[in-house]
Amino acid sequence: MKLFLDTANLKEIEQAVAWGVIDGVTTNPTLVAKEGKDFKQLLAEICRLVPGPVSAEVIATSTVEMVREAEELASIAPQVVIKVPMTPNGLQAVVALREKGIRCNVTLVFSFNQALLAAKAGAAYLSPFLGRLDDLGYSGVGLVAEICGIFRQYALKSEVIAASIRHPLHVVEVARAGAQIATLPFGVLSQMFKHPLTDLGIERFLADWSRANQNNK
Ligand code: G3P
């Protein structure tokens, strides 16, 4: 299973890369806007830090404009993956970009049928948004499980990026559901390190060590 970081913050990316635990990065217009930097420069910096795929989203709504924007973004680095919204124009852009050798991540997926259409259009990745479904009282994990199960049955090739992850239990559940990738906010990634018994264990080891050293003096 691969872990991506869902952020456009360079400090967070640098830290997660140094921990050696992330395989890629996903961004979206909201995350980029938070950083207050020029998008293309920021994307280039992210790509310098990250060895794997980096998703960058187009803002246009027409196919022609999406393809134009995507080509510009893809020229920044070979690992750039274009995030395209789950619309008819978006999927038409996926087809055009696939023919140009540019990989797409179809975003804002909220149903199995949308996932199926994205896969048929040739999306390299598709991103169901768990947390936002949970917020409305629907099961985000249930959707990921449904997509992964049926995709396996038909050997559909798009990789599923479980997105809009809100807490560490989401990570466990999408792993069980068979998601190839989970994209995590930095806060959730940091929480994954935590266990009270680990902290207690370190505290005890250090206390015993220093007691033993006192006695040996
Ligand atoms: O990047 C897409 C997704 O992960 C956004 O998450 O928390 O804004 O629903 P959220």
Side-chain angles (χ1 to χ4, degrees):
M1 184 180 182
K2 285 173 263 182
L3 295 181
F4 289 0
L5 200 61
D6 197 25
T7 186
N9 183 279
L10 295 173
K11 284 208 172 82
E12 291 180 351
I13 294 169
E14 226 165 345
Q15 178 60 80
V17 169
W19 283 331
V21 294
I22 61 154
D23 304 290
V25 162
T26 52
T27 67
N28 65 36
T30 306
L31 295 171
V32 171
K34 266 196 218 164
E35 301 307 310
K37 295 181 177 166
D38 174 78
F39 180 31
K40 285 178 197 150
Q41 276 174 18
L42 182 59
L43 182 59
E45 285 181 68
I46 294 173
C47 290
R48 271 195 288 277
L49 294 176
V50 181
V54 175
S55 286
E57 191 156 340
V58 292
I59 302 300
T61 51
S62 76
T63 302
V64 173
E65 276 303 299
M66 280 189 218
V67 171
R68 194 195 53 74
E69 248 186 81
E71 285 182 301
E72 268 182 43
L73 296 173
S75 71
I76 290 172
Q79 82 245 54
V80 171
V81 170
I82 304 302
K83 242 180 167 181
V84 171
M86 176 55 225
T87 60
N89 284 349
L91 293 196
Q92 207 172 319
V94 170
V95 175
L97 291 167
R98 190 173 40 128
E99 280 163 11
K100 294 172 190 284
I102 297 173
R103 292 173 300 161
C104 290
N105 170 4
V106 173
T107 188
L108 294 165
V109 169
F110 291 97
S111 73
F112 172 76
N113 283 341
Q114 290 181 326
L116 179 59
L117 293 177
K120 295 298 293 177
Y125 305 96
L126 54 93
S127 296
F129 278 30
L130 275 79
R132 294 191 195 185
L133 272 178
D134 289 0
D135 292 343
L136 295 185
Y138 296 95
S139 168
V141 170
L143 173 63
V144 172
E146 187 173 41
I147 295 171
C148 293
I150 301 174
F151 274 35
R152 253 197 317 273
Q153 195 177 331
Y154 289 98
L156 291 168
K157 290 196 173 61
S158 311
E159 287 192 273
V160 174
I161 305 181
S164 184
I165 281 189
R166 301 277 166 79
H167 49 72
L169 184 57
H170 268 157
V171 183
V172 178
E173 290 174 331
V174 300
R176 277 198 199 117
Q180 288 93 346
I181 303 157
T183 189
L184 318 173
F186 187 76
V188 174
L189 181 68
S190 306
Q191 282 174 291
M192 286 170 67
F193 281 93
K194 300 265 179 226
H195 198 289
L197 291 179
T198 305
D199 298 341
L200 192 63
I202 292 170
E203 210 177 286
R204 277 195 199 153
F205 284 151
L206 292 179
D208 291 344
W209 188 259
S210 85
R211 215 177 2 259
N213 280 344
Q214 289 299 331
N215 294 343
N216 292 340
K217 271 188 186 161

